[in-house]
Amino acid sequence: MNPILFIVGARGAGKTTVGKRLANELSYTFIDTDHHIQQISNMTIADIVNQQGWQQFRQLETKALQQVSQSNRVISTGGGIILSAENRQYMRQNGTVIYLQASADILAERLMQQPESTQRPSLTGKSIVEEMEEVLTARENLYCECADHIINAQLSPERIIACVKEIILPRRIS
């Protein structure tokens, strides 16, 4: 069986960085749900949220998740995809869910180093550190609930990929 790998976690956890490299190593296709939404809507995430609101964006996110879910894919999800019970259940039933877990401080530091304001609108209007603390407080249990495996996102991308491969690839008996 060729599984679908769903990578979940907050903004800045490394889902896209790890996902692209992991897909390459496994000869899978890499899909980023946020990028998919931007392609099909021909709008940035920020524009969708500003013009149509978060609820509409979350509906597009659920639709995108289901559209891109096929075998031999590594799917990097948007940070809030786990807010929907439907999405959490869908990922658990259709693939292996990897949660890249990091502290609010680490996430904020990463986001400040690589700001993408057009793609990542503020959820709260607060400072990035305050926002990440608030987001993790609200979402940590949901990430854990849907995760088959939790991996420390502070590890190097190479180490994270090695951990995922240990989890998903059958062990060879020598």
Side-chain angles (χ1 to χ4, degrees):
M1 180 188 141
N2 294 314
I4 302 170
L5 294 176
F6 297 102
I7 302 178
V8 301
R11 294 185 301 153
K15 299 181 302 282
T16 299
T17 300
V18 168
K20 284 180 179 177
R21 292 182 190 181
L22 180 61
N24 188 50
E25 287 199 27
L26 296 173
S27 297
Y28 279 21
T29 300
F30 173 77
I31 302 286
D32 180 301
T33 57
D34 283 350
H35 184 69
H36 179 78
I37 290 167
Q38 290 178 93
Q39 282 187 312
I40 61 172
S41 68
N42 206 25
M43 297 171 71
T44 66
I45 301 299
D47 287 343
I48 294 169
V49 171
N50 289 334
Q51 293 175 24
Q52 300 172 23
W54 279 107
Q55 184 177 355
Q56 177 62 29
F57 171 71
R58 295 297 178 209
Q59 290 172 357
L60 290 172
E61 197 170 48
T62 295
K63 191 175 186 179
L65 176 68
Q66 294 172 8
Q67 287 173 341
V68 302
S69 294
Q70 296 175 24
S71 291
N72 298 318
R73 288 202 169 167
V74 174
I75 300 172
S76 170
T77 63
I81 206 159
I82 48 78
L83 293 172
S84 160
E86 177 185 353
N87 292 344
R88 293 191 308 273
Q89 181 179 0
Y90 182 87
M91 289 186 290
R92 286 297 304 259
Q93 289 177 342
N94 291 283
T96 301
V97 183
I98 306 293
Y99 169 31
L100 296 184
Q101 185 180 50
S103 69
D105 291 339
I106 294 296
L107 296 169
E109 182 181 313
R110 289 178 180 176
L111 291 172
M112 286 187 284
Q113 288 173 0
Q114 294 186 329
E116 295 180 40
S117 58
T118 58
Q119 185 179 353
R120 299 173 175 179
S122 172
L123 297 170
T124 62
K126 298 179 179 179
S127 78
I128 195 68
V129 174
E130 290 174 313
E131 180 172 306
M132 294 318 299
E133 287 172 352
E134 195 171 298
V135 166
L136 283 180
T137 298
R139 297 180 181 176
E140 180 70 18
N141 288 342
L142 300 175
Y143 287 128
C144 292
E145 175 190 317
C146 74
D148 292 301
H149 304 282
I150 300 171
I151 299 176
N152 182 347
Q154 289 180 242
L155 297 172
S156 70
E158 294 76 22
R159 186 69 196 114
I160 293 170
I161 290 165
C163 289
V164 173
K165 286 169 71 175
E166 278 181 33
I167 291 165
I168 65 162
L169 297 176
R171 299 188 189 277
R172 293 195 176 120
I173 300 171
S174 42

